Each structure stands twice: as C-alpha cells, then as structure tokens.
C-alpha cells in the first residue's frame, strides 16, 4: 500500500497529537478569554513599556491594547511557536531514534520497505502532525476571535497557523534526521531544541544587535513570523523557505540513515 | 537475482566479518544454508549469532566479506530480501497498547499480503495465543508467540529466528518445532539460533557452531548423534596407569586414580577401549550414554582448538 509507513505512523501517534492539539487550543482559548478584561486596562500598555526592550523585541510586540498586538504578544510571540516546535521535536525524535531505542524499529525495517521510505514517510507523518497541531491553534484563535471580540482577520489567522505548522515541520524533520543519522533519542531532541532556541534568539535579538541583523533570514522563526502574519498574511518566501528546508533535511536524512548499522 | 548455478543455496557467506570498534563479533565465516533444511546456529552468549542474523537482514553492514540471501546483498537490497524472509528478533518488542491483531494487520499491510492472513490465524490457533489482548498485557511466552506469528506472515521462503523458543513452555515448544519442520518439509528454509543444542536438536538437519565469532564446526545432526559420548568407569584388581589407555582415538577426559579409570568415549571408540580394558583384570565396568548436550559441550564447549 502506498505510504503505508506514514499511515501507520500517524495512527500510532494519533493519541499524542490530539492531546497536544487539545492542550494548545485550550491555552489559546484561555488567552482569548482574558482579552475582554485586559482590553479595558490602559495600564497594560504601560506595563509593556516598562518591560526591558529585549523582552519586547523577543515578543515582537509594541502594543497590548489592540487585539493583534495582544495575540502577537501572548500567542505568536513565544507560547505558540514554542509549543508547536516542542511538539514537532518530541514527535520527530520518537520516530526512528525512539523506535530504535525501544527495539521496535524491526517492526518496520524487517518488512519489505526500504530505509529511504521509512525516513521519508516518518518525516511526512511529523509534518502532518505539526500542521494538525497548528491547525488546532488556528481554530482556537478563530473561535476566540468570535467569542471574545478579538475581531481578527480570518485569512491572517490562517496564514499565521500555516507558518507555525511549517515552522514546527522544520524542527520536527530535523529531529527525525538527527535520529536517523545517529539512532540517539537524546541527540534527536537536543540538537533541534538547541538550534530552535538559537534561531528564536537570533530572530528576536537581531533588531537590537546590529551584527545579527544580516543573519536574521537564517532563522526559521523570522521566515515564519518575522513578517507579522496577523497583519500581513502569508509570506510566500517564508513558506517556500520552510518547505525547502524540510525537503533538504529529509533528503539529507535518507543517506545518513542508509549508511549506518541499526539496532532493529 | 539468484545465482543460477546454485539454486538450492538460500544463504551463503564468504569471509563474513563484523567488527564493532575493537570487538570482533564475527570473523571470516563461510557458510551455506540450503533450500529445505533447518539449520541450527549455535554458540554461547556473545558468540556472534545475533550479529550474523542482523547482517543477513541488512540491519548492519559487514566489515569484510559478503553475505547473500537468495543471491542478493541484504545491505543493498533489503526490501527485495525481506519479501522472502520472515524474521524473529532476539528480543521482540511491540506497541504495548495495541493488540496482537493490530500488529498482524500492520505487518501484513507492509508486506502487502491480505489483511485476514490465513497463516496468522492457523499459527495463532496452534500456539494458543489470544490476538485480541493488548500486547502490554501478554506474558513473555505469549509475546514470543506473537513474534512467531509475525515471522510466518505472508509465507516467506526463509525463516530467520533468533533464539525463538526462549520463554516457551514444553508443549508450545513442541508445537513450534512442528511448525518449523513443516516449513522445511514444504521446501522452506529455516535458520534458527540458540545457545543450547537441546532447543534445536529435534528440528535441525545441520548445525553450525560459533565460538567467539568463529565458525568452529558445521555438522549434520545425524553425525553428531553418532558421535554421542559414553561415560565409562572401570575398576581393576590392580593399579593401572593413564598411559595404558593412551592412543585410543577420540578418548576424552581420562582420569586414572589407583585402580580406577574414568573417561568419555564416542561410540566409535568403544571397541578399541574395551580391547585395552581387557588387558587388565576388570572387577567392575559401567558405561552410560551421555545426553547430546553433554556430547556437544565436550566437543565444542571448551577452549578454541579443543576438539
Ligand atoms: N552494536 C554493537 N556494538 C558493540 N558490540 C556489539 C554490538 N553488537 C554485538 N556486539 C558484540 O559482538 C559480540 C557478539 O554479539 P552477538 O552477536 O549479540 O552474540 P550472540 O547473539 O551470539 O549472543 C559480543 O561480544 C557483543 O558484545
Ligand atoms: Mg543473541
């Protein structure tokens, strides 16, 4: 059956993915529910002004009194990308490295399925999972928008969700690849996690640190969220860069997995 | 494609060697396993049995030498090799929340064999396994049964079984042995590893003995049975010397204390031994056949070069 490895991986991960999706949606709804009480507090913008510049730069927000500024600060500035990326890394590291660590990889590898297919279809499953979790966040934002009067543009929210999903996909497929290349669950989590933190800081601090500015496009966070999707919608370049990164990472993981001994 | 000149060779290795860092797991192994035979792959723990089977499955790459399965290189063409091979790992692990049936279905789909695999149902019935319980609730023996079912799925020509009967009670073990014999009788091939001869002696046609990564013997089971050792104890009315019994071919473990001789002799050496015994006055003679396991250990269990 075509894409049988992907189908099985999705089925096996379904429970975890739904848990993450529901948790993230609940969190977003909670932030949304707080909006009506926050909107009426002028002191909040003062609070933001009192924050260190670094923090404001990291959250990429200047104004808590508008819905877009609020959602940017509370959801898209840190929480949303952090959790989507975390989900993707956990899911990606569970793929090859996780199964290998549990001595279960043989269930796939003893079948008449080449290693390349295992890497590519497991990467596909991680991308799908990341998009599902991001879609759940999107739905929760849209629901909040209606329920709590955030009044966000539907197209822009969907754009933000798409970019979040692709952002997660980049680090998730990196986790699959590190696991495929090394067989180590620890490395499959640590390498993408460290890189994600560095990329987040690079994007957030570049406006304050002159010499970082030219490096900023290297950060998937900048590619995904730097254009403020809630204000401007989809960035075609951002989508292309993330999709290309996913493709290159998956394509690199194939020979890396093919070269080494596995503990199936 | 299969080598046309040797259609009956299912597995063959030439100079097969595998090192892990400085550990030599397998050293220069030449082996042929043929169609229709059950081949026992024997050796103590750490001898390199699992390593051989991993090389056969293409999970690891030989450091030197070559291995072919149905004429194909499993490292380069794992998918093609796996279509004809059923594998049972040394430490089978499953998705604990899923049932046995879910595992069977997933494996069948990966093999593109029908979902309601008749083999699976038949084997499950014979071994006495409940496919509808989550695997996490199964005993070790029942997990092992599930591993057998998965290995047989889709009717592969070659079964590669890594210590398959550990965890089976005697009745299940018999049923399993019957399955193995039937597979071979139908033209299939079985390669099964074990660290004790007892587990394979009733099923194997031939055995290969591995020690510290080296193949020290390949033997027909029937030949090994013919060489079964006899424990001999003789008492004489006067002291004897060890030299009196030197030169009897195949005589082992000779112990002489005053007027008593203890030794082990293969069946073929009994006549010559009795000739030597008759040169003295016997007061007592005891001769018992050792079990095959003991024979096996005597020949292959000692230090390298000890046979
Ligand atoms: N992945 C590995 N890394 C390092 N050493 C290994 C590895 N696999 C096996 N070995 C070593 O190779 C030798 C043979 O192991 P193995 O094939 O598992 O033996 P057996 O299955 O006969 O018990 C042992 O010394 C073992 O420690
Ligand atoms: Mg072993």
């Amino acid at each position: 059956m075509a894409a049988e490895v992907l189908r099985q991986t999705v089925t096996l991960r379904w429970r975890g993915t739904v848990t993450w999706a529901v948790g993230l949606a609940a969190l977003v709804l909670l932030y949304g529910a707080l909006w009506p009480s926050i909107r009426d507090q002028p002191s909040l913008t003062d609070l933001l002004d009192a924050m260190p510049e670094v923090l404001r730069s990291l959250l990429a927000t200047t104004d808590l009194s508008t819905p877009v500024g609020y959602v940017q600060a509370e959801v898209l500035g840190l929480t949303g990308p952090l959790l989507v990326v975390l989900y993707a890394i956990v899911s990606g590291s569970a793929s090859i490295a996780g199964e290998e660590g549990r001595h279960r990889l043989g269930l796939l590898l003893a079948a008449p399925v080449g290693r390349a297919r295992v890497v590519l279809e497991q990467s596909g499953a991680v991308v799908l999972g990341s998009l599902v979790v991001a879609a759940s966040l999107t739905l929760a934002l849209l629901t909040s928008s209606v329920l709590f009067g955030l009044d966000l543009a539907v197209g822009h929210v969907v754009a933000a969700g798409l970019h979040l999903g692709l952002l997660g996909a980049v680090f998730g497929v990196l986790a699959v690849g590190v696991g495929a290349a090394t067989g180590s669950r620890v490395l499959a989590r640590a390498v993408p996690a460290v890189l994600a933190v560095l990329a987040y800081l690079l994007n957030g601090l570049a406006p304050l640190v002159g010499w970082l500015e030219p490096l900023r496009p290297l950060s998937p966070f900048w590619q995904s969220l730097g254009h403020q999707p809630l204000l401007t919608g989809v960035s075609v370049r951002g989508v292309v860069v993330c999709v290309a990164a996913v493709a290159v990472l998956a394509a690199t993981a194939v020979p890396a997995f093919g070269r080494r001994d596995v503990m199936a | 494609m299969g080598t046309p000149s040797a259609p009956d060779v299912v597995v063959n290795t030439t100079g097969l060697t595998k090192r892990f860092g400085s550990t030599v797991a397998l050293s220069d192994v030449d082996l042929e396993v043929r169609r229709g035979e059950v081949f026992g792959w024997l050796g103590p723990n750490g001898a390199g049995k699992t390593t051989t089977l991993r090389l056969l499955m293409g999970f690891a790459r030989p450091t030197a030498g070559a291995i072919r399965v149905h004429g194909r290189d499993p490292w380069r063409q794992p998918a093609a090799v796996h279509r004809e091979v059923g594998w049972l790992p040394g430490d089978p692990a499953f998705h604990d929340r899923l049932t046995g049936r879910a595992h069977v279905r997933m494996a069948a789909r990966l093999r593109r064999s029908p979902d309601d695999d008749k083999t699976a149902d038949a084997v499950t019935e014979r071994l006495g396994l409940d496919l509808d319980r989550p695997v996490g609730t199964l005993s070790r023996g029942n997990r092992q049964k599930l591993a057998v079912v998965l290995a047989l799925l889709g009717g592969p020509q070659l079964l590669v079984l890594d210590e398959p009967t550990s965890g089976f009670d005697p009745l299940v073990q018999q049923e399993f042995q019957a399955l193995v014999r039937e597979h071979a009788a139908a033209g299939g091939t079985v390669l099964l590893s074990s660290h004790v001869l007892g587990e394979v002696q009733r099923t194997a046609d031939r055995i290969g003995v591995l020690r510290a990564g080296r193949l020290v013997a390949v033997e027909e089971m029937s030949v090994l049975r013919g060489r079964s050792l006899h424990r001999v104890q003789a008492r004489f009315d006067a002291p004897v010397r060890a030299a009196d019994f030197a030169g009897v071919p195949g005589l082992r473990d000779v112990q002489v204390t005053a007027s008593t001789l203890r030794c082990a002799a293969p069946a073929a050496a009994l006549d010559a031994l009795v000739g030597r015994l008759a040169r003295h006055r016997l007061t007592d003679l005891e001769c018992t056949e050792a079990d095959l396991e003991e024979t096996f250990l005597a020949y292959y269990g000692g230090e390298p070069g000890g046979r």
Side-chain angles (χ1 to χ4, degrees), chain B residues 97-118:
Chain B
R97 273 192 234 233
L98 300 188
T99 62
R101 195 174 302 284
H103 283 83
V104 169
R105 207 167 287 146
M106 294 201 305
R109 281 169 161 255
L110 287 171
R111 288 195 155 269
R112 297 165 186 264
S113 49
D115 270 15
D116 56 340
D117 197 292
K118 295 284 186 294

Side-chain angles (χ1 to χ4, degrees), chain A residues 263, chain B residues 20 23-25 43-52 54 162-163:
Chain A
M263 289 308 298
Chain B
F20 297 102
T23 309
V24 183
N45 284 327
K49 305 180 295 293
T50 298
T51 299
T52 313
R54 287 179 63 217
D162 197 357
E163 312 231 5

Side-chain angles (χ1 to χ4, degrees), chain A residues 88-182:
Chain A
I89 292 175
V90 168
S91 169
S93 68
S95 295
I96 287 168
E99 291 298 291
E100 190 169 0
R102 293 186 169 90
H103 297 272
R104 282 196 309 224
L105 201 50
L107 293 174
L108 287 176
L109 283 192
V113 175
R115 289 197 196 182
R117 255 188 76 189
V118 171
V119 173
L120 294 176
E121 294 190 24
Q122 295 227 325
S123 298
V126 170
V127 170
L128 268 184
S130 179
L131 290 174
V132 164
V133 168
S136 162
L137 180 148
T138 309
L139 282 179
L141 259 187
L142 291 173
T143 309
S144 298
S145 180
V146 174
L147 288 183
F148 310 115
L150 283 165
D151 222 12
L152 302 166
V154 174
H156 290 176
V157 174
V158 172
L162 173 68
H163 282 297
L164 275 184
L166 290 176
L167 176 67
V170 171
F171 290 100
V173 173
L174 178 62
V176 175
V178 174
T182 65

